[in-house]
Structures are given as C-alpha cells and as structure tokens.
Amino acid sequence: MIAHTTAPSACGEHVADVHSLIGSAYTARDASDHGQAEHLLRQAVAHTQGQALAPARVQAQTALAEIWRQRGQYRRAGLLLRLTLTTAETACGVKSLQVAAVCNEWAILGKYTGDFVHAETLYHRALAIYETVHGSEHHTVATICHNLGGLAHTRGDHATGEPWARRAVDIRTRLLGADHPKVAADAAAWAALLDGTGRHDQAEQVLRRALEIFEATYGPDHYEVAITAHNLAALAHRRGDLQAAQAGYRHALALKQAILGPEHPECATTLVNLAATHHRQGDDAQALGHYALAIAILEGAVEPDHPVLTIARRGHTQTTAQPPSDQ
C-alpha cells in the first residue's frame, strides 16, 4: 500500500494517535498478524470522527481495506474503498495524494476480483496524481508502474505489461540499488511478463536472482518466496518439466496456505496449475480434486468471468478431453 501522512491541525493529538495506531497495524501486518492489524485499524477509524480528521480516516480506512483484501475478504474491501474514495475526494481534493492512495488500493482489489477495466482506470488516475506531485522518478510512480504490469499479466496482455514492469524496475533500482527486496519484487513481476513474451531464459535468470534476495531478506517462509516459487514452477511447466513444476507448485501452495490460509483466493491459481500438471500425466483424479477446490475457493469471491475461475471450470469439465490452459 502507498501511505500518506496527514499534517497536524487543531486535532493534532488525535491525528498523532491515529498515525500511531496505523503504524502499529503495519508492524502487525508485516509480521503476518492480520487479526491484530485489523483490530488496530478499527480503533484508528473509530478515532477519526469529524470533518477535521477526515484525511486521517481516509488513511485508516484504506489500510483496513488492504488488510481485508489480503485476507481474501474482497467484497467487504470493495465496499469500504468506494466509501473511502468519496470521503477522500470531498475532504482532500480530487487530485490529492490521499485520492491516489485509495485509487491504487481499489485497483489492486480489482485485479484480484476481475474488475480489470475499472482497475486500469484507477491506476492511471493514481499515476497522473503521483507524477504531477512527485515527478516521474519517485517510489509511488514505480509502484503504479509495477501494478499496471501486474494487471496486464493477469489479463494475459504480456506485451502491454512488460514496459510498465521494466519501468518499475528501472526507477526503483535507481532509488534503492539493485539488491533491495523492493527491487526484487519489481523484478519478479517483470520476469512473469518476460516469460509471457517468450523471453524464458531471461525470465528464469531474473526470477532466481529475486528469490535469492527474498530468502536472504525474509527467510524461506515468506509470501514473496511463495509467489516466486510459483512463477519458477510455471516456467518449468511451460518447458514440459512436469516433475519440477509439480514440486514447485506444491512448495508454493504450502507456503500460501500457511501464510494466507487454505481458503484464500490466491491459493486457487497454484491449485489450477497443479491440476493441469496432473492431467497431463494422466492422473485425472488428482486433477479433478484440485480443480474442484479452486472453484470452491473462488466462487463468490471473484467476478464470474475471472480468468482463473474460468480456467478451473473448463479444466474440471474437460479434463479427460484435452489439456487445459495454464494461468
């Protein structure tokens, strides 16, 4: 999330309390204690009644929506963000940094739910604000470029997404240095798009370097490690190395289930790809089980035409007919 602080006012003491609660919530979130993070953010929202505290309320509600998204509570997060954007526009101005932060978080949610057109509009609105306020070489600009690349990847439009992801890597490398974990996160996202545009060897090289940085920074049981393990497995899958792909997918799935919970929608992508490897090996019973679990996780959590849900349904019904497409 991109956070923005609020300048002290006559209600400065309350604002400081709210910022302290939000800071503590971020610490809890980074420690994967999402329950404590939600509790602290609810307290922060409760401390921001009144027009003078509206900017602080926007920040607290945006952070709370982020926690709900990370916990897979997509519809709840979307309702809160809709309300929060209206508050931000009224209290802070339609071209304010607060509006940009809400737009970014709502767009991230849209990528996960399948509301892609709305997400792209929100990202470009946020990007225009950040470039106007900060210029083109700022970490917020890099974040939106990263996110636009990720959205294009989810839509399967790798050629459009690759320049956005590369721009994020370039900006963040100049700001932080090549070995920073945030640069590694940008590079891992870029690698997925390189793979999609046919540059498989370059993609694997970039991914393996990102994995080294993540494991050195966070240890082996981190969300970024899970995502990178999934993407490396997908590379092996596309090359036809089904055993390596299955091992990678299982590792990624175990990490996701431990970090996010077994019913989190992000587990479904790995389940679908794991199912496809089993189908190609002729193990239809395993494939059907994984497809069914992915469908159960996604139905009601994402848009009915979300690409992962579509692939899972098609794979489940056509397992014995032909190999399904991979995500």
Side-chain angles (χ1 to χ4, degrees), residues 97-326:
L97 292 173
Q98 290 87 349
V99 164
V102 179
C103 286
N104 178 60
E105 179 56 38
W106 200 359
I108 295 171
L109 179 66
K111 185 190 86 165
Y112 286 110
T113 62
D115 194 0
F116 298 142
V117 174
H118 187 223
E120 184 173 15
T121 300
L122 289 167
Y123 277 141
H124 281 289
R125 183 178 179 187
L127 181 62
I129 293 171
Y130 287 136
E131 288 184 323
T132 298
V133 175
H134 296 307
S136 60
E137 293 285 311
H138 193 265
H139 74 92
T140 55
V141 173
T143 295
I144 301 301
C145 290
H146 173 119
N147 292 347
L148 279 164
L151 178 64
H153 178 263
T154 301
R155 300 172 85 169
D157 189 359
H158 303 112
T160 296
E162 189 275 331
W164 285 113
R166 177 164 26 93
R167 183 182 173 193
V169 173
D170 290 344
I171 294 171
R172 201 101 66 185
T173 299
R174 287 192 289 269
L175 292 173
L176 300 174
D179 295 331
H180 196 281
K182 289 186 178 180
V183 175
D186 290 331
W190 178 40
L193 289 155
L194 288 171
D195 180 43
T197 55
R199 287 172 276 181
H200 308 303
D201 291 341
Q202 185 182 2
E204 183 172 4
Q205 181 181 7
V206 171
L207 274 176
R208 293 199 180 281
R209 177 58 186 147
L211 183 61
E212 289 176 3
I213 295 171
F214 290 143
E215 290 182 332
T217 304
Y218 303 126
D221 301 323
H222 191 270
Y223 173 77
E224 294 289 0
V225 174
I227 297 303
T228 309
H230 172 100
N231 289 340
L232 282 167
L235 279 173
H237 191 171
R238 277 186 276 281
R239 286 173 171 164
D241 188 348
L242 298 182
Q243 288 188 336
Q246 283 183 356
Y249 287 142
R250 288 194 189 102
H251 178 51
L253 182 61
L255 287 175
K256 285 183 178 182
Q257 289 174 332
I259 295 165
L260 303 173
E263 297 182 357
H264 194 283
E266 284 199 51
C267 295
T269 301
T270 305
L271 283 165
V272 166
N273 283 14
L274 186 56
T277 65
H278 282 295
H279 172 40
R280 290 186 180 181
Q281 290 181 323
D283 189 350
D284 289 345
Q286 284 279 3
L288 287 170
H290 291 316
Y291 282 131
L293 182 54
I295 292 166
I297 289 170
L298 291 173
E299 284 185 335
V302 302
E303 295 294 325
D305 61 348
H306 191 282
V308 178
L309 180 56
T310 299
I311 290 169
R313 286 171 171 160
R314 185 170 66 241
H316 190 270
T317 58
Q318 298 181 351
T319 292
T320 59
Q322 60 184 18
S325 301
D326 305 326

Side-chain angles (χ1 to χ4, degrees), residues 1-180:
M1 162 179 183
I2 300 173
H4 302 288
T5 57
T6 307
S9 65
C11 301
E13 185 173 333
H14 287 292
V15 172
D17 289 342
V18 170
H19 288 162
S20 177
L21 287 165
I22 293 172
S24 297
Y26 288 158
T27 300
R29 176 203 62 189
D30 293 342
S32 298
D33 189 351
H34 292 111
Q36 177 66 4
E38 179 175 349
H39 172 71
L40 291 166
L41 290 169
R42 285 180 176 277
Q43 284 187 297
V45 172
H47 278 71
T48 58
Q49 302 308 309
Q51 184 64 24
L53 292 171
R57 183 164 67 255
V58 167
Q59 185 181 355
Q61 290 182 180
T62 305
L64 180 57
E66 178 190 9
I67 294 297
W68 286 344
R69 169 178 59 79
Q70 291 173 340
R71 300 184 82 174
Q73 299 171 7
Y74 293 161
R75 295 188 183 282
R76 195 179 194 188
L79 290 171
L80 180 58
L81 287 165
R82 184 184 299 276
L83 294 171
T84 303
L85 182 57
T86 300
T87 301
E89 290 171 335
T90 301
C92 308
V94 295
K95 296 182 179 180
S96 65
L97 292 173
Q98 290 87 349
V99 164
V102 179
C103 286
N104 178 60
E105 179 56 38
W106 200 359
I108 295 171
L109 179 66
K111 185 190 86 165
Y112 286 110
T113 62
D115 194 0
F116 298 142
V117 174
H118 187 223
E120 184 173 15
T121 300
L122 289 167
Y123 277 141
H124 281 289
R125 183 178 179 187
L127 181 62
I129 293 171
Y130 287 136
E131 288 184 323
T132 298
V133 175
H134 296 307
S136 60
E137 293 285 311
H138 193 265
H139 74 92
T140 55
V141 173
T143 295
I144 301 301
C145 290
H146 173 119
N147 292 347
L148 279 164
L151 178 64
H153 178 263
T154 301
R155 300 172 85 169
D157 189 359
H158 303 112
T160 296
E162 189 275 331
W164 285 113
R166 177 164 26 93
R167 183 182 173 193
V169 173
D170 290 344
I171 294 171
R172 201 101 66 185
T173 299
R174 287 192 289 269
L175 292 173
L176 300 174
D179 295 331
H180 196 281

